[in-house]
Amino acid sequence: MLSLQAVTKRYGSLTALDGVSLDIARGEFFGLLGPNGAGKSTLMSLVAGLRAPDAGTLTLDGQPLSAASAQARLGLGLVPQHVALYPELSADQNLRIFGSLYGLRGTVLRERIDAALTAVQLNDRRREPVKNYSGGMQRRLNLVAALLHRPKLLLCDEPTVGVDPQSRNAIFEYLESLNREGLTIIYSTHYMEEATRLCSRIGIIDHGRLHALGTLDELLLQLPFEDEITFPETAATAPLLPLLAGSGTLATSEQTHRFRPATGYRLSDFFAHTEKLGLPPRLFTSQRPTLEALFLHLTGRTLRE
Ligand SMILES: Nc1ncnc2c1ncn2[C@@H]1O[C@H](COP(=O)(O)OP(=O)(O)OP(=O)(O)O)[C@@H](O)[C@H]1O
Ligand SMILES: [Mg+2]
């Protein structure tokens, strides 16, 4: 559906995007995960046609995406990182303006506004000025403003920053239902939990480069270990150590053993040993590697840096 080929964007001497190639298929919920300054908003603004790339091409359904291709842009909705609403106007008035920018009017516009405000539970506050809304309410309105014209592709640029868990969940569930109905979504975030929960495929971006791309499981396979099991260094667990020899690596520090099984080692074998030795399961903590660990592995940085 959307294709980026070797896209580069510079701001003066700073390269914000550095030869990014990426294909998004129809119906995907694609996550763009990266820390501050990674290039997420720059990528969104190029796809939305707000800026032109310095090199490379972008196409939507095979059509070049340029600032001029209004037809292509009708198929896009952008939820900007910073809330872009008129604070003095009500939700109703804001949505009427956004809708008419896309050529909607009359009954169609009214029905879509009603449906949008109901979907994000703002119906009872619709006549109040937006400046009276909480941050989470503004975010929800910001989101539906990008959807009134029923785009095929929705760009969500960190839509939950500063939103409390309850509103965040409402946004997640709304986006998930839209995606189930066929909307393609590109979602940028620096929260690995969001990418993990929402996205069918994730791109890891830092310093303008795409460092990894794949499903969560595919990405985690790029880590040199699959699981890490920690357990205390005690007399009781000592007989376990020779049984693990050759099955992976074992590191010990601060009275804690850390066992990283070799690829293909079955955790069921591990727990067969512990059962035979009569070691209770509660001694063992198994940790699945996270996107945070992968990010650190790929870039040497943390997502919050
Ligand atoms: N208009 C601009 N002029 C100059 N430099 C810019 C401009 N917009 C972005 N940059 C720079 O480009 C780089 C990428 O910025 P971008 O906003 O795309 O990152 P981001 O991943 O969206 O970060 P954040 O998570 O903080 O929103 C940063 O170094 C930023 O300072
Ligand atoms: Mg940004």
Side-chain angles (χ1 to χ4, degrees), residues 199-278:
C199 301
S200 49
R201 214 155 58 96
I202 298 163
I204 292 186
I205 186 169
D206 190 31
H207 290 311
R209 284 172 186 257
L210 217 51
H211 286 266
L213 192 63
T215 64
L216 182 63
D217 285 340
E218 285 165 355
L219 290 174
L220 296 180
L221 277 176
Q222 297 189 22
L223 277 171
F225 57 93
E226 282 178 21
D227 276 288
E228 185 180 78
I229 303 172
T230 56
F231 53 98
E233 180 188 18
T234 61
T237 61
L240 181 60
L241 306 186
L243 300 176
L244 299 177
S247 309
T249 60
L250 188 76
T252 307
S253 61
E254 294 164 13
Q255 282 88 56
T256 303
H257 293 302
R258 251 178 287 278
F259 174 61
R260 289 180 179 185
T263 312
Y265 181 78
R266 288 190 316 227
L267 290 180
S268 52
D269 291 343
F270 181 91
F271 287 105
H273 291 317
T274 62
E275 206 180 306
K276 221 178 295 156
L277 294 172

Side-chain angles (χ1 to χ4, degrees), residues 279-296:
L279 299 169
R282 66 175 161 73
L283 288 179
F284 302 91
T285 315
S286 161
Q287 218 155 22
R288 197 172 146 72
T290 61
L291 286 174
E292 178 77 51
L294 177 65
F295 190 83
L296 189 68

Side-chain angles (χ1 to χ4, degrees), residues 132-198:
N132 293 358
Y133 285 15
S134 70
M137 293 165 70
Q138 293 188 11
R139 286 268 162 200
R140 281 182 274 155
L141 185 60
N142 200 43
L143 171 64
V144 288
L147 286 164
L148 286 177
H149 62 297
R150 306 264 161 91
K152 292 181 292 181
L153 172 63
L154 183 69
L155 309 168
C156 286
D157 197 359
E158 307 205 39
T160 63
V161 168
V163 173
D164 69 46
Q166 206 177 341
S167 283
R168 187 175 284 219
N169 224 39
I171 290 176
F172 290 166
E173 283 172 10
Y174 186 49
L175 289 175
E176 283 171 329
S177 73
L178 292 169
N179 179 244
R180 273 195 301 274
E181 287 163 18
L183 180 69
T184 309
I185 300 175
I186 303 181
Y187 187 102
S188 84
T189 181
H190 61 263
Y191 297 119
M192 65 154 187
E193 299 82 2
E194 293 194 349
T196 305
R197 157 160 181 187
L198 295 170

Side-chain angles (χ1 to χ4, degrees), residues 2 8 11 22 30 48 55 58-59 65 72-73 82 85 94 97 128 145 152 165 185 239 258-259 264 272 289-290 304:
L2 176 73
T8 293
Y11 300 108
L22 176 65
F30 183 81
L58 295 97
T59 54
L65 251 185
R73 267 187 296 136
H82 302 288
L85 300 165
N94 267 282
I97 293 173
E128 265 180 68
K152 292 181 292 181
I185 300 175
R258 251 178 287 278
F259 174 61
T290 61
R304 308 255 185 285

Side-chain angles (χ1 to χ4, degrees), residues 46-53 58-59 63-70 72-73:
L46 293 179
V47 175
L50 301 174
R51 291 192 176 94
L58 295 97
T59 54
Q63 272 195 33
L65 251 185
S66 67
S69 61
R73 267 187 296 136

